[in-house]
Amino acid sequence: MNIPAILFWSLFTVAGIWLQGAIPGVDFLAPGLVLCLQEEKWTVSAWLGLAWLFIQEGTGSLAFGTGLLWYGALVGLYYFGHWLFEAKNFLFMFILGLSLGVLHLVLSHVMAVLQDWTLPADRVLVEGLLQALIFPVEWGLIYLIYNHLPENSHAV
Amino acid sequence: MDALASYTGLEFAKWVLAPGKWTASRVSSFWDRYVYFVGLREENDSLRATLAEAAQELALLRERAAEAERLARLLTIRPPVGWSRQGARVISHRLGPNASLETVLLDKGALDGLMVNTPVTGPDGVIGRVLRLSPTAATVLLVTDPNSRIPVTSQKNRTQGILKGEGANREMAVQYVSLGAPLEEGELLVTSGLEEIFPKGLPVARVTEVGRKGPSLFQTVYAEPLFDARRLEEVALLAKDPEGRDGAGPVPGEAMAEPQDQKPGADPVTHTPSPRVIPPDPSGRAPGLEPPRPAAAPAGERRKPARSGP
């Protein structure tokens, strides 16, 4: 990974954390993981995924493993959808966003039940909707920015 | 001839000179005005810049004054005997997709002496307790979270119950209040200290509704928290003093003492009150705090939780 890419992913991570503070319950780093899987080597995706996993687990209040299931399911959904759709198709990203929205509901509910906790269903539902809406939009935005990096000028 | 010369030559010269003079006068006047306006414009720009700087400085000073007022209110918290206090800033509210509980993030952590279940209070009353820790940050579970339960006692009638959060911007429910137990609307609920996490007598909530519903053996009681989570900026952290000295003096920034009876393995969210019975405070006054003010958010803004008998 060269300097512009390192800078891009660092800024993306910082911006993602700030946005997560602004809109709680939404993962702003997930679109980055998908873009990374599409554009970078798998080792880069693995390292970034690991770093973001620890960020999500550390800042969250659910038991450890939720983030692992969350990103694991995202990667699984991506590779599964990869067989059916063009990887950089916006429709695929839209479906992936919807899947993440549903996954947020299911995962939050399951983890809350396992930990004998109560979560406000209306709030989790709104968070799932926001996740489904934000994911494809953010992916499209960072896809454009990433492909305008100096090393990717051929892709513009 | 002289007159003719006057009437012709002089008149001609006048008609030649006069327009020139008029033009020169106009040009001169225009130039003067232009120069004046340029100066005025420059002066205006300079004054605008000065005004912008003054406005910025004023905003900064107002922000500092507001912060000083908040910190001064925070310093009015007098820790109960045997407890010490340190301040912390709220740096974020719920963060990330896994932040399912009502929490805030503080800028103090394990290196500052914090532990899981360290009590967190504000100028008006209890805010929550530490849920997770990192070396320099901590996540605080707010008392308004549906998973937070605190044994409380009403300040005036000494009626006991369990205060349960119902979520953000919702009133809290007081569970297990016997039918015959006296409790009044507007009465302050203070910590009973039975769970051995919070010191006894800290204000937590104010009763808003007392009633009875269905065949339940308990009263239906609702209470509003004494803080507005959206406006939290600074909080105070309480810690048991290992030497048992009077913690009345403010100790801002001082590392907190490790609580003696802290149970590291205890579940930070749910805890069972100890069977130990503490007699009611005869003074009826919270030992830790000044008389609390009403919550920042009007009670009308809070939603009633779904009615379900305990």
Side-chain angles (χ1 to χ4, degrees):
Chain A
M1 207 164 45
N2 51 23
I3 299 295
I6 292 172
L7 206 61
F8 173 81
W9 290 117
S10 304
L11 284 174
F12 173 79
T13 306
V14 171
I17 293 169
W18 273 96
L19 286 168
Q20 286 187 171
I23 306 178
V26 177
D27 187 351
F28 280 88
L29 301 174
L33 185 61
V34 171
L35 181 71
C36 197
L37 290 168
Q38 291 167 340
E39 303 284 350
E40 301 273 8
K41 292 176 185 172
W42 72 269
T43 46
V44 176
S45 305
W47 281 113
L48 284 175
L50 189 68
W52 294 340
L53 172 71
F54 275 93
I55 289 171
Q56 305 295 25
E57 292 282 10
T59 55
S61 41
L62 292 170
F64 189 87
T66 317
L68 205 61
L69 289 171
W70 174 252
Y71 282 135
L74 175 63
V75 173
L77 283 168
Y78 171 75
Y79 279 115
F80 177 70
H82 194 263
W83 291 342
L84 304 171
F85 297 93
E86 167 64 31
K88 295 174 185 175
N89 187 346
F90 189 77
L91 178 66
F92 175 39
M93 288 303 121
F94 185 73
I95 293 170
L96 209 53
L98 278 179
S99 308
L100 277 185
V102 174
L103 185 66
H104 180 71
L105 297 176
V106 173
L107 209 54
S108 299
H109 179 71
V110 168
M111 294 307 284
V113 167
L114 287 174
Q115 292 177 78
D116 198 19
W117 285 359
T118 310
L119 299 183
D122 51 348
R123 196 194 73 197
V124 179
L125 183 67
V126 170
E127 288 172 359
L129 283 172
L130 283 172
Q131 181 72 70
L133 287 172
I134 288 170
F135 180 86
V137 176
E138 190 192 346
W139 174 85
L141 198 67
I142 58 171
Y143 178 78
L144 287 175
I145 297 170
Y146 183 87
N147 283 311
H148 277 81
L149 293 178
E151 86 227 37
N152 301 328
S153 54
H154 61 279
V156 176
Chain B
M1 288 302 289
D2 190 34
L4 181 65
S6 299
Y7 273 85
T8 55
L10 184 61
E11 188 66 16
F12 181 75
K14 179 256 170 183
W15 281 106
V16 169
L17 290 174
K21 279 284 182 189
W22 182 83
T23 307
S25 158
R26 287 286 172 182
V27 168
S28 171
S29 167
F30 175 76
W31 179 254
D32 286 347
R33 279 204 303 271
Y34 173 74
V35 170
Y36 171 74
F37 279 122
V38 166
L40 203 63
R41 176 66 186 268
E42 284 175 356
E43 190 181 0
N44 195 28
D45 289 345
S46 167
L47 286 173
R48 277 180 193 277
T50 312
L51 184 65
E53 279 176 20
Q56 198 175 1
E57 193 178 343
L58 183 65
L60 190 69
L61 289 174
R62 278 182 178 159
E63 182 62 27
R64 282 184 183 168
E67 186 183 15
E69 192 180 341
R70 289 197 309 272
L71 292 174
R73 285 192 68 207
L74 206 59
L75 286 172
T76 60
I77 301 171
R78 187 169 52 84
V81 174
W83 290 74
S84 61
R85 171 201 62 205
Q86 68 170 321
R89 282 185 197 282
V90 175
I91 52 175
S92 174
H93 289 251
R94 291 195 305 119
L95 192 66
N98 297 342
S100 298
L101 306 181
E102 295 295 329
T103 52
V104 292
L105 196 63
L106 302 184
D107 67 345
K108 294 273 172 73
L111 291 179
D112 300 291
L114 269 64
M115 294 187 72
V116 169
N117 283 334
T118 294
V120 182
T121 69
D124 297 322
V126 172
I127 287 169
R129 57 205 159 88
V130 172
L131 180 70
R132 296 185 76 162
L133 278 171
S134 77
T136 60
T139 304
V140 174
L141 178 73
L142 301 180
V143 291
T144 51
D145 186 86
N147 302 288
S148 167
R149 290 170 182 83
I150 300 175
V152 290
T153 305
S154 67
Q155 197 175 48
K156 185 179 171 189
N157 292 301
R158 312 311 296 176
T159 297
Q160 296 197 347
I162 302 290
L163 185 69
K164 177 182 176 294
E166 294 285 352
N169 306 319
R170 287 173 186 255
E171 291 188 333
M172 297 186 282
V174 188
Q175 299 178 324
Y176 310 116
V177 178
S178 306
L179 284 178
L183 195 61
E184 297 167 15
E185 287 181 13
E187 197 172 349
L188 204 61
L189 298 173
V190 299
T191 51
S192 65
L194 293 177
E195 85 291 349
E196 297 180 350
I197 291 175
F198 293 99
K200 185 187 171 191
L202 292 179
V204 193
R206 190 179 294 280
V207 176
T208 56
E209 187 182 332
V210 182
R212 184 181 176 184
K213 197 174 183 182
S216 173
L217 295 173
F218 303 104
Q219 294 185 58
T220 308
V221 182
Y222 294 99
E224 60 177 1
L226 301 174
F227 67 93
D228 183 358
R230 292 167 297 184
R231 296 183 183 177
L232 277 180
E233 289 185 61
E234 292 92 13
V235 296
L237 301 149
L238 301 179
K240 279 183 183 172
D241 195 332
E243 296 166 9
R245 65 178 167 83
D246 191 336
V251 201
E254 184 180 293
M256 293 198 333
E258 189 171 313
Q260 295 297 302
D261 55 355
Q262 188 75 55
K263 297 177 182 64
D267 182 354
V269 174
T270 53
H271 48 267
T272 310
S274 141
R276 182 166 59 92
V277 176
I278 296 176
D281 186 356
S283 66
R285 164 88 164 78
L289 307 177
E290 289 193 336
R293 303 176 192 179
E301 285 183 9
R302 297 189 191 284
R303 287 182 290 169
K304 296 275 183 197
R307 297 293 199 261
S308 56

